[in-house]
Amino acid sequence: MNLYTHIQKQDKETYKLLLAEEKRQAEGLELIPSENIVSQAVREAVGSCLTNKYSEGYPHARYYGGNEVIDQVEILARERAKKLFKVPYVNVQPYSGSPANFAVYLATCNPGDTVMGQLLTAGGHLTHGWKASATAMFYKAVQYGVKPDGYLDIKEIERLAKKHKPKLIWVGATAYVREFPFKELAKIADSVGAYLAADIAHIAGLVVAGAHASPVPYAHIVTTTTHKTLRGPRGGMIMVTKKGLAKDPELGQKVDRAIFPNLQGGPHDHTTAGIAVALKEAATPKFRTYGKQIVRNAKALAKDLMAEGVELVSGGTDNHMLLMKCGVGRGAIVEIALDAIGLTANKNTIPNEPSSPFYPSGVRLGTPSVTTRRMKEPEMKIIAHAIVRAMAVVEDEQLPTEKGERKAYLASVKKHAHANPALKKIHAEVRQLCKKFPIPDSFV
Ligand code: DSN
């Protein structure tokens, strides 16, 4: 089905690019754990006439006229989110996860206040206080890490919290393979009077499906993106819990103000409609089965990879993601080899990273997208075997110690990988697998 008939007629260049990306997505497998594939229903919402509207403000309190329908769309998305996550207050306007998180700082802290979050190189997110993020420029960020076994170091978090008395503590990450200990973190936050904000961007769909514990009973605020395991459009949400409202009855209004007018302008109403549609999908029994299968697939992939000799951070996974240890600074080399066989993954730091965030030593894999394509455990075995064989092809490649040589070296690895006969053969097998599991357009 050609979804782009008008673009085809009036803009050949963009049309060609869209078709190329459709082909890339159909003929390869996305193993980046933060990516997913939305339903046609979500795409229709995002491509709808709602993109034409400005609606600064909130339902029934807008700065522009003509928002009667938009109000209903926003209320629908909010109500669905409230019911699904069991929270009393939701803001669905954040453009994505980073502004959602920044709004939490604005709602709970003053510039210069101390905050705590998981270190980026130990799996945390930029916006949890990493030095290159605005969050560390405007707030005094204390960072915590993980133990050698890959689990959060609760004792260290408690020691740091007692020492630094942060106003806000983050729990949540972008590269953490274990279940988040929300209860323990809440105990620590409560003991120092800090707000606990849970960033569940990665695991929101698992939480909804009952495949991961919910932070809602423990955190004051919960943020998420809507496009990862939740399988919605690119966007964000901020939820205030009952516990949050008990700590500060005005927290909801503070969050709203932080998003608009403090941080953002008009909301992306077409995205809000897409979020509403995705939340309806996520409330179905089918989605519960889907979320659980994501985790089963990740565990299967972990087991199959380890059986073939791959070393994983923390020796496995509890969620949708795994982190392969690839050797010092070799993450990019393995990413290139996987790319050459049609598997898209991303190089990533590993705990106690021996190299650097630019040239890290791991590769992050995830199963949300392949599970959306209805793959199960037998397919994870095929994917694991493909990964292991691709890694073997590049096993002698080493990142140059001389920093100035690295870029050219990786470009040459890429060129050779795409011409390598062994990798070409595996790529053909991956294409066959993709044909058997096409991208579905509906999930309900
Ligand atoms: N970019 C997201 C991820 O890949 O995890 C985090 O923001």
Side-chain angles (χ1 to χ4, degrees):
M1 187 182 31
N2 184 0
L3 295 169
Y4 310 116
T5 49
H6 293 83
I7 305 177
Q8 183 180 18
K9 267 189 224 136
Q10 72 186 55
D11 183 347
K12 296 272 182 262
E13 291 100 318
T14 304
Y15 179 67
K16 251 174 70 186
L17 293 173
L18 290 177
L19 287 198
E21 179 60 12
E22 291 271 357
K23 185 170 149 67
R24 188 195 71 81
Q25 291 190 17
E27 294 183 357
L29 294 177
E30 293 295 338
L31 292 173
I32 294 175
S34 50
E35 293 189 9
N36 210 331
I37 306 162
V38 297
S39 67
Q40 209 51 44
V42 168
R43 279 175 74 162
E44 282 174 13
V46 173
S48 70
C49 63
L50 272 59
T51 200
N52 298 337
K53 193 72 199 96
Y54 252 127
S55 39
E56 281 96 334
Y58 290 98
H60 309 303
R62 306 282 185 185
Y63 284 80
Y64 297 151
N67 274 302
E68 296 76 13
V69 178
I70 299 297
D71 281 359
Q72 290 178 58
V73 171
E74 188 164 339
I75 290 168
L76 187 65
R78 274 187 189 168
E79 291 306 312
R80 284 181 179 168
K82 279 191 202 167
K83 196 159 160 211
L84 197 59
F85 287 94
K86 301 185 179 69
V87 289
Y89 206 98
V90 180
N91 185 309
V92 294
Q93 293 193 6
Y95 298 148
S96 199
S98 297
N101 287 353
F102 205 78
V104 170
Y105 288 87
L106 296 173
T108 57
C109 300
N110 291 312
D113 279 347
T114 300
V115 299
M116 256 175 77
Q118 188 170 335
L119 186 66
L120 180 90
T121 50
H125 192 253
L126 277 164
T127 57
H128 298 178
W130 176 245
K131 59 190 174 196
S133 155
T135 59
M137 296 172 191
F138 295 108
Y139 303 93
K140 187 172 160 255
V142 176
Q143 302 266 269
Y144 59 80
V146 293
K147 296 182 289 180
D149 62 6
Y151 284 80
L152 283 177
D153 192 341
I154 301 289
K155 281 214 169 80
E156 177 66 357
I157 297 172
E158 186 172 14
R159 188 187 70 74
L160 290 169
K162 295 233 152 39
K163 182 174 170 200
H164 296 282
K165 301 260 181 316
K167 192 104 167 264
L168 170 69
I169 298 178
W170 285 99
V171 54
T174 54
Y176 187 67
V177 296
R178 294 302 175 193
E179 179 142 325
F180 290 106
F182 295 128
K183 200 170 170 180
E184 281 92 331
L185 266 289
K187 232 170 103 183
I188 295 171
D190 291 343
S191 74
V192 296
Y195 281 101
L196 181 67
D199 178 344
I200 61 165
H202 265 267
I203 55 163
L206 307 185
V207 169
V208 165
H212 190 292
S214 169
V216 168
Y218 309 108
H220 301 98
I221 301 183
V222 178
T223 64
T224 186
T225 51
T226 46
H227 48 270
K228 298 190 175 90
T229 49
L230 200 53
R231 217 168 54 188
R234 308 198 78 81
M237 300 198 294
I238 306 174
M239 300 176 254
V240 180
T241 64
K242 221 166 115 187
K243 186 175 169 183
L245 290 182
K247 186 170 166 69
D248 179 356
E250 285 179 14
L251 195 51
Q253 286 78 34
K254 287 181 182 170
V255 162
D256 283 352
R257 259 202 311 278
I259 284 292
F260 177 83
N262 292 167
L263 199 58
Q264 297 188 169
H268 293 175
D269 299 315
H270 56 304
T271 302
T272 307
I275 291 174
V277 173
L279 291 172
K280 182 156 183 171
E281 292 177 355
T284 58
K286 270 194 178 165
F287 193 92
R288 282 186 81 78
T289 309
Y290 165 68
K292 292 195 170 108
Q293 188 63 45
I294 291 178
V295 176
R296 274 202 289 272
N297 281 351
K299 282 182 190 288
L301 186 59
K303 193 169 131 261
D304 296 336
L305 283 170
M306 289 190 295
E308 294 209 51
V310 175
E311 217 188 319
L312 297 182
V313 167
S314 200
T317 181
D318 293 336
N319 55 31
H320 60 301
M321 155 190 332
L322 22 148
L323 257 178
M324 298 195 294
K325 294 187 188 175
C326 303
V328 178
R330 294 188 72 254
I333 295 166
V334 171
E335 181 189 302
I336 289 167
L338 297 186
D339 196 50
I341 60 163
L343 301 181
T344 310
N346 70 283
K347 61 182 186 295
N348 212 95
T349 54
I350 57 172
N352 300 317
E353 175 57 58
S355 181
S356 76
F358 274 123
Y359 298 100
S361 307
V363 161
R364 194 177 63 148
L365 303 172
T367 52
S369 179
V370 291
T371 310
T372 295
R373 289 177 86 146
R374 311 215 159 106
M375 293 186 183
K376 295 213 166 106
E377 288 88 336
E379 288 72 48
M380 297 308 112
K381 215 180 194 63
I382 297 172
I383 293 173
H385 193 51
I387 291 173
V388 169
R389 283 180 294 154
M391 285 170 82
V393 171
V394 292
E395 73 185 346
D396 294 331
E397 301 290 349
Q398 283 303 336
L399 189 75
T401 40
E402 193 57 55
K403 282 188 184 158
E405 292 171 12
R406 288 175 176 177
K407 230 172 138 184
Y409 168 77
L410 289 175
S412 135
V413 171
K414 188 169 176 178
K415 199 170 138 212
H416 288 109
H418 283 269
N420 182 286
L423 293 178
K424 275 189 174 170
K425 184 171 171 287
I426 310 170
H427 195 178
E429 292 168 21
V430 170
R431 270 201 218 99
Q432 280 310 313
L433 185 63
C434 292
K435 266 203 188 132
K436 275 174 59 187
F437 293 87
I439 291 176
D441 22 280
S442 162
F443 310 121
V444 287

